[in-house]
Amino acid sequence: MDDRNTNEENTGGPDQPPAGPHQSPEPRVSPLNAPVVAEFRANGGRVGGPFAGGDLLLLTTTGARSGQRYTTPLGFVRIEDRVHVVGSAGGSPKDPDWYRNLLAHPMVTVEMPGDEARESIAVPLAGDERDRIFREIVSRHPGYGDYQDQVERRIPVVELQPSPELGSGEVRALADKLLQIHAWLRGQLTNVRAEAERYLAERDAASTAPPVGLNLQIRQHCLAFCESLHFHHTSEDSMFPALAEGYPHLREPVERLVEEHRVVDRVRAELEGLLADVRTADPVRFMAELDRLTEELEAHLDFEEEALIPTLSGIPFPPA
């Protein structure tokens, strides 16, 4: 099973917030894919036509240039309890749009047969790992090997890794929700740092010349965290004026928090800039910028909790 004729035209259109631990705008579906998507959702993942009898999922990505979200039906292969999709594009000489989208915005939404939609982090496989998984995929679905033989590009293989949940604690007040999101952000930043430290330790211990740059897993996880952080702060910027108006004693701390958002966002943007091309990224500079982002963010979250939690504890969630 392949992803032929499932590409979306992702140019133009207004910017939309990326996927993350928040609500997102309704995704677009191309006229060609609309019947397949509707049938998938109506029948618990079972469809007819060219996808009949195959393993199918719905992948929702954010347009690399447009910012608009798109839903695309794709065949998938589960190997070692990991879900993979292949960017064959039906043997096209170019990578499919959904693949270019997830390189720019790793946070995606995945709908599996008989399961609820959930956010995931899309990580293209690289090197020996990509080749090993691709061989296994071809052994089950030889058509992918035929596509690889007829194109010069290296067909991408993408693992869809479930994103950690926000948490299952009871949320009764707005303060609980804020603490839940903060815990998620802190946890994801810790995970990115641990991945980067492991990578650098293995790189330094290598007997041969260490690879240049970073790996795609670090890049995708870091960009996913940065997107979620940016969207969280953007959401707060739209909420804070009303909060300060309703609670005048919060006006000064809210002004400080909005200014800190700008500082954190500058560091985030610089970190993202370093990840534009993992092949040339400087791991040492990356770690320095990651340290700077961690320091700025931790101080910001600590102050936000100290200033806002007493008041937000009295506001029910969801608000009336």
Side-chain angles (χ1 to χ4, degrees), residues 19 27 40-41 56-61 69-72 74-76 78 83-85 102 106-123 158-163:
F40 179 100
R41 290 171 174 165
L56 184 71
L57 59 75
L58 302 183
L59 179 69
T60 299
T61 61
R69 304 190 75 211
Y70 295 87
T71 297
T72 306
L74 294 173
F76 73 90
R78 191 186 297 273
V83 175
H84 303 86
V85 290
L102 64 82
M107 291 295 292
V108 299
T109 302
V110 178
E111 298 174 59
M112 300 286 290
D115 200 0
E116 294 182 354
R118 68 169 299 171
E119 289 178 344
S120 299
I121 300 173
V123 180
V158 179
E159 181 183 349
L160 302 175
Q161 302 176 356
S163 176

Side-chain angles (χ1 to χ4, degrees), residues 35-196:
V36 179
V37 172
E39 187 179 6
F40 179 100
R41 290 171 174 165
N43 299 317
R46 296 186 303 275
V47 300
F51 289 112
D55 293 322
L56 184 71
L57 59 75
L58 302 183
L59 179 69
T60 299
T61 61
T62 302
R65 290 173 289 179
S66 69
Q68 172 65 48
R69 304 190 75 211
Y70 295 87
T71 297
T72 306
L74 294 173
F76 73 90
V77 182
R78 191 186 297 273
I79 300 174
E80 300 168 0
D81 204 31
R82 297 152 59 192
V83 175
H84 303 86
V85 290
V86 182
S88 63
S92 169
K94 294 183 179 180
D95 290 331
D97 287 342
W98 61 260
Y99 178 71
R100 293 193 292 271
N101 288 348
L102 64 82
L103 285 178
H105 303 288
M107 291 295 292
V108 299
T109 302
V110 178
E111 298 174 59
M112 300 286 290
D115 200 0
E116 294 182 354
R118 68 169 299 171
E119 289 178 344
S120 299
I121 300 173
V123 180
L125 303 184
D128 293 341
E129 177 70 357
R130 180 267 177 200
D131 294 342
R132 181 179 72 84
I133 295 297
F134 188 69
R135 285 194 298 270
E136 177 63 26
I137 292 173
V138 170
S139 72
R140 302 184 192 184
H141 305 282
Y144 286 122
D146 296 337
Y147 290 142
Q148 183 62 88
D149 290 341
Q150 68 189 46
V151 297
E152 294 183 3
R153 66 185 176 93
R154 198 164 185 247
I155 290 179
V157 178
V158 179
E159 181 183 349
L160 302 175
Q161 302 176 356
S163 176
E165 301 288 346
L166 272 176
S168 57
E170 190 172 16
V171 177
R172 292 184 175 180
L174 194 54
D176 300 328
K177 191 63 178 177
L178 183 68
L179 290 172
Q180 188 183 63
I181 294 174
H182 283 190
W184 188 93
L185 290 171
R186 286 186 171 105
Q188 295 315 295
L189 185 56
T190 298
N191 290 342
V192 169
R193 180 167 202 32
E195 280 186 359

